[in-house]
Protein backbone atom coordinates (compact mmCIF):
# COMPACT_ATOMS: atom_id res chain seq x y z
CA UNK A 1 0.00 0.00 0.00
CA UNK A 2 2.88 2.37 0.67
CA UNK A 3 3.96 2.54 -2.93
CA UNK A 4 0.46 3.55 -4.01
CA UNK A 5 -0.15 6.11 -1.26
CA UNK A 6 2.93 8.20 -2.08
CA UNK A 7 1.77 9.09 -5.58
CA UNK A 8 -1.72 9.89 -4.27
CA UNK A 9 -0.29 12.29 -1.66
CA UNK A 10 1.85 13.98 -4.29
CA UNK A 11 -1.15 14.46 -6.56
CA UNK A 12 -3.41 15.74 -3.77
CA UNK A 13 -0.86 18.04 -2.11
CA UNK A 14 0.11 19.91 -5.25
CA UNK A 15 -2.86 20.02 -7.59
CA UNK A 16 -1.65 23.38 -8.94
CA UNK A 17 1.30 21.67 -10.54
CA UNK A 18 -0.87 19.46 -12.72
CA UNK A 19 -1.42 22.00 -15.54
CA UNK A 20 2.32 22.75 -15.87
CA UNK A 21 3.19 19.97 -18.32
CA UNK A 22 0.66 21.33 -20.83
CA UNK A 23 2.40 24.71 -21.40
CA UNK A 24 5.74 22.95 -21.61
CA UNK A 25 4.42 20.61 -24.30
CA UNK A 26 2.86 23.49 -26.20
CA UNK A 27 6.11 25.42 -26.02
CA UNK A 28 7.91 22.45 -27.46
CA UNK A 29 5.41 22.30 -30.28
CA UNK A 30 5.85 26.01 -31.00
CA UNK A 31 9.65 25.95 -30.88
CA UNK A 32 10.00 22.94 -33.15
CA UNK A 33 7.54 23.38 -36.00
CA UNK A 34 9.01 22.30 -39.36
CA UNK A 35 12.29 24.26 -39.10
CA UNK A 36 12.88 23.91 -42.83
CA UNK A 37 9.56 25.57 -43.62
CA UNK A 38 10.12 28.28 -41.05
CA UNK A 39 13.56 29.14 -42.38
CA UNK A 40 12.24 29.08 -45.93
CA UNK A 41 9.73 31.75 -44.91
CA UNK A 42 12.45 33.77 -43.16
CA UNK A 43 14.72 33.60 -46.21
CA UNK A 44 11.81 34.59 -48.44
CA UNK A 45 11.11 37.50 -46.12
CA UNK A 46 14.74 38.57 -46.27
CA UNK A 47 14.62 38.43 -50.05
CA UNK A 48 11.43 40.50 -50.12
CA UNK A 49 13.05 43.04 -47.81
CA UNK A 50 16.01 43.16 -50.18
CA UNK A 51 13.72 43.78 -53.14
CA UNK A 52 12.06 46.63 -51.26
CA UNK A 53 15.40 48.11 -50.22
CA UNK A 54 16.64 47.84 -53.81
CA UNK A 55 13.58 49.75 -55.04
CA UNK A 56 14.46 52.59 -52.65
CA UNK A 57 18.09 52.63 -53.80
CA UNK A 58 19.60 51.23 -50.58
CA UNK A 59 23.23 50.15 -51.12
CA UNK A 60 23.89 46.39 -50.93
CA UNK A 61 20.14 45.94 -50.40
CA UNK A 62 19.92 42.16 -50.01
CA UNK A 63 22.78 42.00 -47.52
CA UNK A 64 21.74 45.00 -45.45
CA UNK A 65 17.99 44.34 -45.43
CA UNK A 66 18.33 40.66 -44.53
CA UNK A 67 20.83 41.51 -41.78
CA UNK A 68 18.32 43.89 -40.21
CA UNK A 69 15.52 41.34 -40.63
CA UNK A 70 17.61 38.65 -38.90
CA UNK A 71 18.57 40.97 -36.05
CA UNK A 72 14.96 42.08 -35.55
CA UNK A 73 13.71 38.48 -35.45
CA UNK A 74 16.44 37.47 -32.99
CA UNK A 75 15.86 40.45 -30.69
CA UNK A 76 12.09 39.83 -30.70
CA UNK A 77 12.64 36.18 -29.81
CA UNK A 78 11.05 34.85 -32.99
CA UNK A 79 14.33 33.18 -33.97
CA UNK A 80 16.31 31.48 -31.23
CA UNK A 81 18.71 29.43 -33.30
CA UNK A 82 21.29 29.94 -35.98
CA UNK A 83 20.88 29.61 -39.71
CA UNK A 84 20.56 25.89 -40.57
CA UNK A 85 23.97 24.31 -41.05
CA UNK A 86 23.39 23.23 -44.68
CA UNK A 87 22.27 26.72 -45.64
CA UNK A 88 25.22 28.34 -43.86
CA UNK A 89 27.73 26.01 -45.47
CA UNK A 90 26.15 26.43 -48.89
CA UNK A 91 26.29 30.22 -48.63
CA UNK A 92 29.96 30.12 -47.62
CA UNK A 93 30.82 27.80 -50.50
CA UNK A 94 28.92 29.95 -53.00
CA UNK A 95 30.61 33.11 -51.72
CA UNK A 96 33.98 31.37 -52.09
CA UNK A 97 33.14 30.36 -55.66
CA UNK A 98 32.05 33.92 -56.41
CA UNK A 99 35.30 35.31 -54.98
CA UNK A 100 37.41 32.92 -57.01
CA UNK A 101 35.57 33.86 -60.21
CA UNK A 102 36.72 37.47 -59.85
CA UNK A 103 40.42 36.57 -59.65
CA UNK A 104 41.02 36.40 -63.39
CA UNK A 105 44.56 36.52 -64.85
CA UNK A 106 44.03 40.14 -65.87
CA UNK A 107 42.87 41.06 -62.35
CA UNK A 108 45.86 39.37 -60.70
CA UNK A 109 48.27 41.05 -63.10
CA UNK A 110 46.72 44.41 -62.31
CA UNK A 111 47.05 43.75 -58.56
CA UNK A 112 50.71 42.66 -58.80
CA UNK A 113 52.18 46.21 -58.66
CA UNK A 114 50.51 46.82 -55.29
CA UNK A 115 51.63 43.53 -53.73
CA UNK A 116 54.18 45.15 -51.39
CA UNK A 117 51.90 47.96 -50.12
CA UNK A 118 49.11 45.41 -49.79
CA UNK A 119 51.28 43.20 -47.56
CA UNK A 120 52.39 46.18 -45.46
CA UNK A 121 48.81 47.37 -44.98
CA UNK A 122 47.73 43.86 -43.98
CA UNK A 123 50.47 43.64 -41.35
CA UNK A 124 49.67 47.16 -40.09
CA UNK A 125 45.95 46.31 -39.76
CA UNK A 126 46.69 43.23 -37.68
CA UNK A 127 49.20 45.14 -35.52
CA UNK A 128 46.69 47.94 -34.94
CA UNK A 129 43.99 45.48 -33.86
CA UNK A 130 46.32 43.68 -31.46
CA UNK A 131 47.49 46.99 -29.97
CA UNK A 132 43.91 48.13 -29.34
CA UNK A 133 43.09 44.72 -27.85
CA UNK A 134 46.05 45.04 -25.48
CA UNK A 135 44.73 48.41 -24.28
CA UNK A 136 41.24 46.95 -23.89
CA UNK A 137 42.63 44.16 -21.72
CA UNK A 138 44.49 46.67 -19.54
CA UNK A 139 41.55 49.02 -19.10
CA UNK A 140 38.72 46.51 -18.73
CA UNK A 141 38.09 43.23 -16.97
CA UNK A 142 38.96 41.20 -20.05
CA UNK A 143 41.77 38.69 -20.42
CA UNK A 144 44.29 39.35 -23.15
CA UNK A 145 43.47 36.18 -25.12
CA UNK A 146 39.79 37.15 -25.15
CA UNK A 147 40.54 40.73 -26.14
CA UNK A 148 42.98 39.81 -28.92
CA UNK A 149 40.78 37.09 -30.37
CA UNK A 150 37.77 39.39 -30.24
CA UNK A 151 39.49 42.31 -31.99
CA UNK A 152 41.55 40.67 -34.74
CA UNK A 153 39.91 41.31 -38.13
CA UNK A 154 39.04 38.34 -40.30
CA UNK A 155 38.22 34.65 -39.97
CA UNK A 156 35.43 35.05 -37.41
CA UNK A 157 34.32 31.42 -37.56
CA UNK A 158 37.87 30.08 -37.28
CA UNK A 159 38.76 32.51 -34.48
CA UNK A 160 35.70 31.56 -32.43
CA UNK A 161 36.43 27.88 -33.00
CA UNK A 162 39.93 28.10 -31.52
CA UNK A 163 38.99 30.44 -28.64
CA UNK A 164 38.45 27.72 -26.05
CA UNK A 165 41.70 26.00 -26.98
CA UNK A 166 43.56 29.29 -26.41
CA UNK A 167 42.00 29.81 -22.94
CA UNK A 168 39.74 32.63 -24.05
CA UNK A 169 36.07 33.23 -23.28
CA UNK A 170 34.23 31.79 -26.27
CA UNK A 171 31.07 33.83 -25.62
CA UNK A 172 32.97 37.11 -25.39
CA UNK A 173 35.06 36.34 -28.47
CA UNK A 174 32.01 35.34 -30.50
CA UNK A 175 30.05 38.40 -29.42
CA UNK A 176 32.90 40.79 -30.25
CA UNK A 177 33.68 39.17 -33.59
CA UNK A 178 30.10 39.09 -34.82
CA UNK A 179 29.35 42.55 -33.48
CA UNK A 180 32.28 43.82 -35.57
CA UNK A 181 31.01 41.91 -38.61
CA UNK A 182 27.52 43.29 -38.08
CA UNK A 183 28.71 46.88 -37.71
CA UNK A 184 30.92 46.69 -40.79
CA UNK A 185 28.22 44.93 -42.81
CA UNK A 186 25.82 47.74 -41.87
CA UNK A 187 28.12 50.72 -42.37
CA UNK A 188 30.34 49.61 -45.27
CA UNK A 189 27.55 49.67 -47.90
CA UNK A 190 26.53 53.15 -46.79
CA UNK A 191 30.11 54.40 -46.80
CA UNK A 192 30.88 52.82 -50.16
CA UNK A 193 27.69 54.24 -51.67
CA UNK A 194 28.57 57.71 -50.38
CA UNK A 195 32.11 57.49 -51.75
CA UNK A 196 31.02 56.19 -55.16
CA UNK A 197 28.04 58.48 -55.64
CA UNK A 198 30.03 60.69 -57.98
CA UNK A 199 32.08 57.96 -59.58
CA UNK A 200 31.19 56.31 -62.90
CA UNK A 201 29.89 52.75 -62.65
CA UNK A 202 32.25 49.87 -63.35
CA UNK A 203 29.72 47.09 -63.42
CA UNK A 204 31.23 45.58 -66.53
CA UNK A 205 34.37 44.62 -64.64
CA UNK A 206 32.87 41.42 -63.33
CA UNK A 207 33.23 38.40 -65.52
CA UNK A 208 29.64 37.49 -64.92
CA UNK A 209 28.20 40.86 -64.64
CA UNK A 210 26.49 42.51 -67.63
CA UNK A 211 27.94 40.00 -70.04
CA UNK A 212 25.32 37.30 -69.73
CA UNK A 213 24.50 35.98 -73.16
CA UNK A 214 22.32 33.03 -72.27
CA UNK A 215 18.74 32.65 -73.36
CA UNK A 216 15.79 32.52 -71.01
CA UNK A 217 14.29 34.84 -68.47
CA UNK A 218 16.18 33.82 -65.31
CA UNK A 219 19.95 33.62 -65.14
CA UNK A 220 21.50 31.96 -62.11
CA UNK A 221 25.09 31.72 -63.38
CA UNK A 222 27.17 33.90 -65.67
CA UNK A 223 27.55 31.55 -68.64
CA UNK A 224 25.26 31.09 -71.62
CA UNK A 225 24.49 27.44 -70.79
CA UNK A 226 22.72 27.60 -67.44
CA UNK A 227 22.58 23.86 -66.83
CA UNK A 228 26.30 23.25 -67.39
CA UNK A 229 27.12 26.38 -65.41
CA UNK A 230 25.07 25.21 -62.44
CA UNK A 231 26.67 21.77 -62.59
CA UNK A 232 30.12 23.37 -62.70
CA UNK A 233 29.23 25.62 -59.75
CA UNK A 234 28.03 22.61 -57.74
CA UNK A 235 31.25 20.75 -58.55
CA UNK A 236 33.41 23.72 -57.55
CA UNK A 237 31.58 24.05 -54.21
CA UNK A 238 31.64 20.32 -53.45
CA UNK A 239 35.27 19.71 -54.42
CA UNK A 240 36.41 22.93 -52.74
CA UNK A 241 34.62 22.15 -49.48
CA UNK A 242 36.04 18.62 -49.41
CA UNK A 243 39.56 19.85 -50.16
CA UNK A 244 39.30 22.63 -47.58
CA UNK A 245 38.41 20.16 -44.85
CA UNK A 246 41.05 17.64 -45.89
CA UNK A 247 43.78 20.33 -46.00
CA UNK A 248 42.57 21.83 -42.70
CA UNK A 249 42.30 25.30 -44.22
CA UNK A 250 40.94 28.17 -42.12
CA UNK A 251 37.21 28.53 -42.82
CA UNK A 252 37.42 25.56 -45.23
CA UNK A 253 33.90 25.98 -46.61
CA UNK A 254 34.89 29.43 -47.88
CA UNK A 255 38.60 29.21 -48.74
CA UNK A 256 38.41 25.74 -50.33
CA UNK A 257 35.80 26.66 -52.98
CA UNK A 258 37.56 29.98 -53.53
CA UNK A 259 40.84 28.23 -54.38
CA UNK A 260 39.11 25.70 -56.64
CA UNK A 261 37.20 28.49 -58.38
CA UNK A 262 40.44 30.42 -58.74
CA UNK A 263 42.11 27.44 -60.40
CA UNK A 264 39.11 26.95 -62.69
CA UNK A 265 39.06 30.63 -63.63
CA UNK A 266 42.79 30.88 -64.30
CA UNK A 267 42.78 27.73 -66.41
CA UNK A 268 39.73 28.77 -68.39
CA UNK A 269 38.52 25.18 -68.35
CA UNK A 270 35.27 25.88 -66.46
CA UNK A 271 33.83 29.22 -67.59
CA UNK A 272 30.50 30.74 -66.66
CA UNK A 273 29.89 29.28 -63.18
CA UNK A 274 29.83 32.50 -61.13
CA UNK A 275 26.49 33.05 -59.33
CA UNK A 276 24.55 36.03 -60.72
CA UNK A 277 21.06 37.45 -60.53
CA UNK A 278 18.60 35.72 -58.26
CA UNK A 279 21.13 33.14 -57.03
CA UNK A 280 23.64 35.82 -56.07
CA UNK A 281 20.93 37.77 -54.25
CA UNK A 282 19.90 34.65 -52.31
CA UNK A 283 23.52 34.10 -51.29
CA UNK A 284 23.72 37.66 -49.94
CA UNK A 285 20.41 37.17 -48.11
CA UNK A 286 21.83 34.08 -46.38
CA UNK A 287 24.99 35.95 -45.43
CA UNK A 288 22.98 38.82 -43.96
CA UNK A 289 20.64 36.54 -42.01
CA UNK A 290 23.57 34.51 -40.66
CA UNK A 291 25.07 37.67 -39.17
CA UNK A 292 21.81 39.20 -37.98
CA UNK A 293 20.36 36.26 -36.04
CA UNK A 294 23.40 36.16 -33.76
CA UNK A 295 22.31 39.32 -31.91
CA UNK A 296 19.84 37.89 -29.44
CA UNK A 297 18.54 39.66 -26.34
CA UNK A 298 20.35 37.19 -24.11
CA UNK A 299 23.66 37.91 -25.83
CA UNK A 300 23.26 41.67 -25.59
CA UNK A 301 22.10 41.43 -21.95
CA UNK A 302 25.07 39.31 -20.90
CA UNK A 303 27.57 41.63 -22.59
CA UNK A 304 26.01 45.01 -21.76
CA UNK A 305 28.73 46.04 -19.30
CA UNK A 306 31.48 45.40 -21.84
CA UNK A 307 29.63 46.90 -24.79
CA UNK A 308 30.79 50.56 -24.42
CA UNK A 309 34.57 49.87 -24.29
CA UNK A 310 34.26 47.27 -27.06
CA UNK A 311 32.42 49.74 -29.29
CA UNK A 312 35.03 52.42 -28.62
CA UNK A 313 37.85 50.04 -29.53
CA UNK A 314 36.04 48.92 -32.69
CA UNK A 315 35.58 52.54 -33.73
CA UNK A 316 39.28 53.22 -33.24
CA UNK A 317 40.23 50.13 -35.27
CA UNK A 318 37.81 51.06 -38.06
CA UNK A 319 39.10 54.62 -38.22
CA UNK A 320 42.67 53.34 -38.20
CA UNK A 321 41.89 50.99 -41.09
CA UNK A 322 40.31 53.89 -42.97
CA UNK A 323 43.52 55.84 -42.43
CA UNK A 324 45.55 52.92 -43.77
CA UNK A 325 43.21 52.80 -46.78
CA UNK A 326 43.87 56.49 -47.41
CA UNK A 327 47.64 55.89 -47.31
CA UNK A 328 47.30 52.81 -49.52
CA UNK A 329 45.20 54.73 -52.05
CA UNK A 330 47.69 57.59 -52.11
CA UNK A 331 50.71 55.34 -52.61
CA UNK A 332 49.20 53.09 -55.28
CA UNK A 333 46.72 55.34 -57.06
CA UNK A 334 43.89 52.97 -56.14
CA UNK A 335 40.43 54.56 -55.75
CA UNK A 336 39.74 55.19 -52.10
CA UNK A 337 36.54 53.11 -52.17
CA UNK A 338 38.47 50.03 -53.32
CA UNK A 339 41.18 50.62 -50.72
CA UNK A 340 38.59 51.17 -47.99
CA UNK A 341 36.74 47.93 -48.75
CA UNK A 342 40.03 46.04 -49.03
CA UNK A 343 41.24 47.18 -45.60
CA UNK A 344 37.99 47.47 -43.64
CA UNK A 345 37.99 45.07 -40.66
CA UNK A 346 34.79 43.30 -41.56
CA UNK A 347 33.51 39.87 -42.46
CA UNK A 348 34.81 38.86 -45.85
CA UNK A 349 31.35 37.74 -47.00
CA UNK A 350 29.75 41.08 -46.18
CA UNK A 351 32.63 43.08 -47.66
CA UNK A 352 32.47 41.10 -50.89
CA UNK A 353 28.73 41.71 -51.16
CA UNK A 354 29.36 45.40 -50.66
CA UNK A 355 32.14 45.41 -53.27
CA UNK A 356 29.87 43.73 -55.81
CA UNK A 357 26.98 46.11 -55.15
CA UNK A 358 29.18 49.24 -55.31
CA UNK A 359 31.03 48.04 -58.47
CA UNK A 360 34.40 48.19 -56.70
CA UNK A 361 37.53 46.30 -57.75
CA UNK A 362 36.41 42.95 -56.35
CA UNK A 363 39.67 41.23 -57.33
CA UNK A 364 41.69 43.66 -55.21
CA UNK A 365 39.22 43.52 -52.32
CA UNK A 366 39.14 39.71 -52.36
CA UNK A 367 42.92 39.44 -52.54
CA UNK A 368 43.61 41.77 -49.61
CA UNK A 369 40.79 40.37 -47.45
CA UNK A 370 41.80 36.76 -48.15
CA UNK A 371 45.47 37.49 -47.44
CA UNK A 372 44.56 39.06 -44.11
CA UNK A 373 42.22 36.19 -43.22
CA UNK A 374 44.94 33.61 -43.82
CA UNK A 375 47.54 35.58 -41.87
CA UNK A 376 45.17 36.20 -38.96
CA UNK A 377 44.16 32.56 -38.61
CA UNK A 378 47.74 31.29 -38.88
CA UNK A 379 49.50 33.90 -36.74
CA UNK A 380 46.94 34.74 -34.02
CA UNK A 381 47.37 31.49 -32.02
CA UNK A 382 51.12 32.12 -31.83
CA UNK A 383 50.54 35.69 -30.65
CA UNK A 384 48.03 34.54 -28.03
CA UNK A 385 50.42 31.97 -26.60
CA UNK A 386 53.21 34.55 -26.48
CA UNK A 387 50.99 37.06 -24.66
CA UNK A 388 49.72 34.41 -22.26
CA UNK A 389 53.25 33.36 -21.41
CA UNK A 390 54.40 36.89 -20.64
CA UNK A 391 52.37 37.29 -17.42
CA UNK A 392 49.23 35.93 -15.70
CA UNK A 393 45.92 37.01 -17.16
CA UNK A 394 43.36 39.07 -15.24
CA UNK A 395 39.87 37.87 -14.65
CA UNK A 396 37.27 38.81 -17.23
CA UNK A 397 33.72 39.54 -16.25
CA UNK A 398 30.94 38.37 -18.54
CA UNK A 399 27.28 38.39 -17.61
CA UNK A 400 27.91 38.82 -13.89
CA UNK A 401 30.46 36.01 -13.66
CA UNK A 402 34.20 36.27 -13.28
CA UNK A 403 36.32 34.25 -15.61
CA UNK A 404 39.91 33.22 -15.18
CA UNK A 405 42.27 32.37 -18.02
CA UNK A 406 40.95 28.83 -18.23
CA UNK A 407 37.32 28.42 -17.18
CA UNK A 408 34.20 30.37 -16.23
CA UNK A 409 33.64 30.59 -12.50
CA UNK A 410 30.15 30.27 -11.15
Amino acid sequence: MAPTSAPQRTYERSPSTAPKPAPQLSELRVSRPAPVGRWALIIAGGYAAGLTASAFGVPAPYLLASLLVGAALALCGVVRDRLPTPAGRASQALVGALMGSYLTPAALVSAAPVALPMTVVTAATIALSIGIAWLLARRGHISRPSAVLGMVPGGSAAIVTCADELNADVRLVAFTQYLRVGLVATTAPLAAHWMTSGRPSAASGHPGGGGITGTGLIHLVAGADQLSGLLALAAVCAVGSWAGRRLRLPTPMLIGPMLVALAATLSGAVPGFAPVGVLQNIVFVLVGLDVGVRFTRQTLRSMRRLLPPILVCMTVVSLGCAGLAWVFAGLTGTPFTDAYLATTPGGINAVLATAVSSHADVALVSTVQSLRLLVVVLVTPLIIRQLAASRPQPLSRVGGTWRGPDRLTR
Side-chain angles (χ1 to χ4, degrees), residues 52 88 93 122 134 143 198 203 221 229 250 266 273 302 356:
T52 304
T122 299
W134 183 78
S143 67
V221 291
L266 293 179
F273 63 86
S302 62
V356 173

Side-chain angles (χ1 to χ4, degrees), residues 348-396:
I348 192 169
N349 296 354
V351 172
L352 177 66
T354 303
V356 173
S357 301
S358 60
H359 309 304
D361 187 348
V362 182
L364 176 65
V365 174
S366 298
T367 302
V368 177
Q369 290 281 343
S370 300
L371 174 63
R372 189 178 66 198
L373 186 150
L374 291 172
V375 173
V376 163
V377 174
L378 294 175
V379 173
T380 299
L382 301 178
I383 297 175
I384 293 296
R385 292 188 177 97
Q386 183 64 31
L387 290 175
S390 60
R391 75 178 197 180
Q393 298 300 317
L395 297 175
S396 62

Side-chain angles (χ1 to χ4, degrees), residues 69-134:
V69 167
L73 293 176
L75 291 174
C76 293
V78 177
V79 175
R80 294 185 175 88
D81 49 1
R82 292 275 305 280
L83 194 70
T85 301
R89 290 178 176 177
S91 66
Q92 288 191 36
L94 288 170
V95 168
L98 181 62
M99 290 172 58
S101 69
Y102 280 97
L103 299 177
T104 61
L108 294 178
V109 169
S110 64
V114 299
L116 180 59
M118 179 175 64
T119 304
V120 173
V121 167
T122 299
T125 302
I126 297 173
L128 172 65
S129 302
I130 293 175
I132 296 299
W134 183 78

Side-chain angles (χ1 to χ4, degrees), residues 126-410:
I126 297 173
L128 172 65
S129 302
I130 293 175
I132 296 299
W134 183 78
L135 291 176
L136 178 64
R138 284 182 61 89
R139 297 290 181 179
H141 299 294
I142 304 174
S143 67
R144 278 180 291 181
S146 299
V148 172
L149 289 175
M151 295 303 298
V152 289
S156 301
I159 292 298
V160 172
T161 300
C162 68
D164 190 56
E165 180 184 351
L166 297 173
N167 294 327
D169 189 333
V170 179
R171 291 183 301 168
L172 178 59
V173 172
F175 173 77
T176 307
Q177 281 286 334
Y178 294 122
L179 177 62
R180 173 182 56 80
V181 172
L183 291 175
V184 171
T186 304
T187 58
L190 303 176
H193 177 73
W194 173 72
M195 287 185 284
T196 58
S197 57
R199 177 174 144 191
S201 174
S204 61
H206 178 256
I212 303 173
T213 59
T215 59
L217 297 177
I218 297 179
H219 298 284
L220 302 178
V221 291
D225 190 341
Q226 293 292 289
L227 180 58
S228 63
L230 287 171
L231 291 176
L233 176 61
V236 167
C237 293
V239 173
S241 302
W242 175 81
R245 291 193 299 267
R246 289 296 299 269
L247 297 176
R248 301 181 182 275
L249 296 175
T251 57
M253 303 302 295
L254 177 72
I255 300 299
M258 186 189 74
L259 295 178
V260 173
L262 172 61
T265 302
L266 293 179
S267 66
V270 190
F273 63 86
V276 298
V278 175
L279 181 57
Q280 186 182 101
N281 295 338
I282 292 175
V283 172
F284 292 160
V285 167
L286 293 176
V287 172
L289 287 174
D290 187 49
V291 175
V293 297
R294 300 171 192 266
F295 297 97
T296 62
R297 284 181 293 179
Q298 181 181 1
T299 302
L300 295 180
R301 191 182 302 114
S302 62
M303 304 294 175
R304 63 183 181 273
R305 292 185 180 89
L306 298 174
L307 187 58
I310 288 175
L311 287 176
V312 170
C313 290
M314 285 182 180
T315 302
V316 173
V317 171
S318 298
L319 293 176
C321 290
L324 291 173
W326 181 77
V327 174
F328 180 80
L331 293 176
T332 62
T334 303
F336 180 70
T337 305
D338 300 344
Y340 169 77
L341 291 175
T343 58
T344 189
I348 192 169
N349 296 354
V351 172
L352 177 66
T354 303
V356 173
S357 301
S358 60
H359 309 304
D361 187 348
V362 182
L364 176 65
V365 174
S366 298
T367 302
V368 177
Q369 290 281 343
S370 300
L371 174 63
R372 189 178 66 198
L373 186 150
L374 291 172
V375 173
V376 163
V377 174
L378 294 175
V379 173
T380 299
L382 301 178
I383 297 175
I384 293 296
R385 292 188 177 97
Q386 183 64 31
L387 290 175
S390 60
R391 75 178 197 180
Q393 298 300 317
L395 297 175
S396 62
R397 184 171 183 170
V398 178
T401 59
W402 288 94
R403 185 192 185 283
D406 296 318
R407 299 291 177 193
L408 280 171
T409 58
R410 299 183 183 273

